[in-house]
Amino acid sequence: MAFKTLDQINLRGQRVFIRCDLNVPLDAAGRIADDTRIRASLEGIRHAMQQGARVMVTSHLGRPSEGALEARDSLRPVARRLSELLGVPVPLVEDWLETPFDVPPGSVVMLENCRAHAGEKGNSPELAHRMAALCDVYVNDAFGTAHRAEATTEALARLAREACAGPLMASELLALGRALAAPERPMAAIVGGSKVSTKLAILNALAQRVELLVVGGGMANTFLLASGQPIGKSLCEPTMVDAAREVMATLKARGAHLFLPTDVVVADEVSETALPAIKAVTDVAGNDLILDFGPQSMRRLVDELHACKTIVWNGPLGVFEIEKFSHGTRMLATAIAGAPAFSIAGGGDTVAAINQFDVAAGIDYVSTAGGAFLEFLEGKTLPAVRALEDRAH
Ligand code: 3PG
Ligand code: MG
């Protein structure tokens, strides 16, 4: 990899600033709903502590207004969870740019939500200068935020005395790079989600690359509409039909295959009490909402995935949060986990589905990233990674 990594630097007694992505989902009561990102960040933090560094960890949480941190955007619950996982106290430093603080060698503090500072989102060099003054070594271990050029992810990487990638950043790039650079073929991508408009770039990029493209979730309806099927009152984006046709044309020109369901699970509302029915796509009626792939489609898809050598997965096939509309996504998750292919998955909904169906062990690499995962697969250079690479020369 074309950047320095944490293990290459002597950290003893050094002030080490680690930018993590600890942007975890919180429930209505402000409790951490999933701590995967905290666990995934432990390796770098532990390493720096064991080397005798004075460790500062920060992250953004949510999308606070700059200069106005509200209680719900505080990293306090994250600091508490990190403390439990490390088994040592993790004090939260609130006004870390204004008030001097001390970190003894071998210990760690958490610096309050970095996105609350004016200039963070705008990638302000002035702000990054003030942060650079706090540390001897800057570590970026926040792959999940690598698609954002912000002061703690980009400008600071250029201004800090020494800059390197943490172990999570390095392993994400290695695993995803493997799936992208020289994938074993056939390669399949499954992309679900509600809107074609938000995933059009990744669909176009994958259409150039894969042998099998599976479009799931609400997006499948737009593709069904584009191929002349009735979709009733299902979620769809009529203005994206032409874009969907272009994706289909790209695949066809390469001899690649678009997988759409031939049977679906429909209901007249999205609710726990809705009455589901399985229908051929050609029989979808005016009052139907398509809420999942049907069993015949899933048997076909499972077979096709079993023949693949590389599988990339982002997004559910149906409304998997509701049990009766979860079978397609469950079968998909199980099939990917059981397939001989090298498999990678990423995105918040996808990780939730992987955990819900308990298939993590069968998937070769589960990324902690959502947006960064997709932009990397699109073939974009992530600004935070570029900044680290530039420091290596
Ligand atoms: C994510 O959750 O995708 C990352 O933490 C980035 O968060 P953001 O979309 O608010 O920049
Ligand atoms: Mg996001």
Side-chain angles (χ1 to χ4, degrees):
M1 247 164 252
F3 45 66
K4 225 179 233 177
T5 52
L6 185 59
D7 55 335
Q8 296 168 341
I9 299 177
N10 182 357
L11 302 175
R12 178 151 308 277
Q14 300 289 295
R15 296 171 304 157
V16 176
F17 181 109
I18 311 182
R19 177 36 161 121
C20 294
D21 185 336
L22 307 176
N23 184 31
V24 290
L26 300 174
D27 67 16
R31 282 178 305 237
I32 295 167
D34 182 305
D35 67 0
T36 306
R37 282 178 164 176
I38 306 176
R39 291 175 184 277
S41 303
L42 289 174
E43 185 185 340
I45 297 168
R46 275 203 186 110
H47 173 82
M49 291 171 69
Q50 281 160 3
Q51 298 295 306
R54 304 165 182 270
V55 185
M56 297 161 268
V57 176
T58 195
S59 173
H60 71 289
L61 182 68
R63 295 178 175 170
S65 315
E66 297 194 349
L69 186 78
E70 291 183 47
R72 64 157 192 275
D73 296 314
S74 172
L75 282 174
R76 193 168 293 282
V78 177
R80 199 174 306 132
R81 188 79 192 103
L82 179 61
S83 166
E84 286 164 13
L85 292 168
L86 290 173
V88 300
V90 181
L92 180 71
V93 184
E94 290 178 354
D95 298 317
W96 47 278
L97 283 176
E98 291 80 27
T99 314
F101 57 93
D102 182 49
V103 189
S107 67
V108 58
V109 298
M110 181 159 290
L111 308 181
E112 184 57 287
N113 197 335
C114 58
R115 214 177 248 178
H117 293 121
E120 169 66 10
K121 278 187 278 199
N123 197 22
S124 152
E126 292 75 27
L127 178 62
H129 263 298
R130 295 171 66 198
M131 294 172 176
L134 294 177
C135 62
D136 305 302
V137 180
Y138 162 81
V139 185
N140 191 342
D141 211 17
F143 177 70
T145 325
H147 60 316
R148 307 276 184 228
E150 301 185 350
T152 55
T153 64
E154 212 276 348
L156 182 53
R158 300 187 183 279
L159 294 170
R161 206 166 301 166
E162 179 120 57
C164 68
L168 178 61
M169 174 71 90
S171 62
E172 291 264 12
L173 289 167
L174 196 71
L176 303 190
R178 175 176 166 193
L180 199 68
E184 273 198 84
R185 295 182 182 278
M187 174 177 184
I190 302 101
V191 184
S194 52
K195 289 184 174 170
V196 174
S197 48
T198 58
K199 293 204 175 160
L200 188 59
I202 182 77
L203 290 173
N204 277 319
L206 289 170
Q208 315 267 11
R209 234 184 265 272
V210 300
E211 280 67 53
L212 171 65
L213 181 64
V214 184
V215 177
M219 290 198 302
N221 305 331
T222 303
F223 276 81
L224 286 170
L225 188 66
S227 43
Q229 299 292 347
I231 59 165
K233 56 173 191 178
S234 305
L235 178 76
C236 94
E237 291 168 287
T239 58
M240 285 289 128
V241 162
D242 285 343
R245 290 209 177 104
E246 273 176 44
V247 171
M248 292 156 99
T250 304
L251 286 163
K252 194 167 175 203
R254 291 181 48 244
H257 174 47
L258 173 72
F259 187 101
L260 285 175
T262 43
D263 63 336
V264 287
V265 180
V266 300
D268 64 0
E269 58 175 20
V270 188
S271 79
E272 300 275 356
T273 51
L275 271 185
I278 295 165
K279 289 189 176 179
V281 279
T282 47
D283 294 340
V284 170
N287 205 35
D288 286 335
L289 285 170
I290 299 173
L291 299 173
D292 198 8
F293 282 27
Q296 181 202 65
S297 307
M298 288 314 302
R299 279 192 293 274
R300 215 160 37 88
L301 180 54
V302 169
D303 284 346
E304 291 199 30
L305 290 176
H306 213 77
C308 290
K309 296 251 170 64
T310 304
I311 302 176
V312 175
W313 177 28
N314 170 267
L317 297 183
V319 184
F320 74 98
E321 299 86 349
I322 298 178
E323 208 273 336
K324 59 189 80 175
F325 308 121
S326 69
H327 304 298
T329 305
R330 176 193 295 275
M331 280 185 76
L332 172 70
T334 309
I336 294 173
F342 175 72
S343 52
I344 64 173
D349 283 348
T350 310
V351 172
I354 288 168
N355 291 336
Q356 182 172 325
F357 304 130
D358 198 16
V359 295
I363 297 177
D364 290 283
Y365 194 81
V366 180
S367 176
T368 56
F373 174 80
L374 292 175
E375 291 200 17
F376 186 87
L377 292 179
E378 261 170 53
K380 286 192 188 163
T381 303
L382 307 178
V385 177
R386 170 169 294 159
L388 291 176
E389 287 171 349
D390 287 350
R391 286 303 298 270
H393 305 311

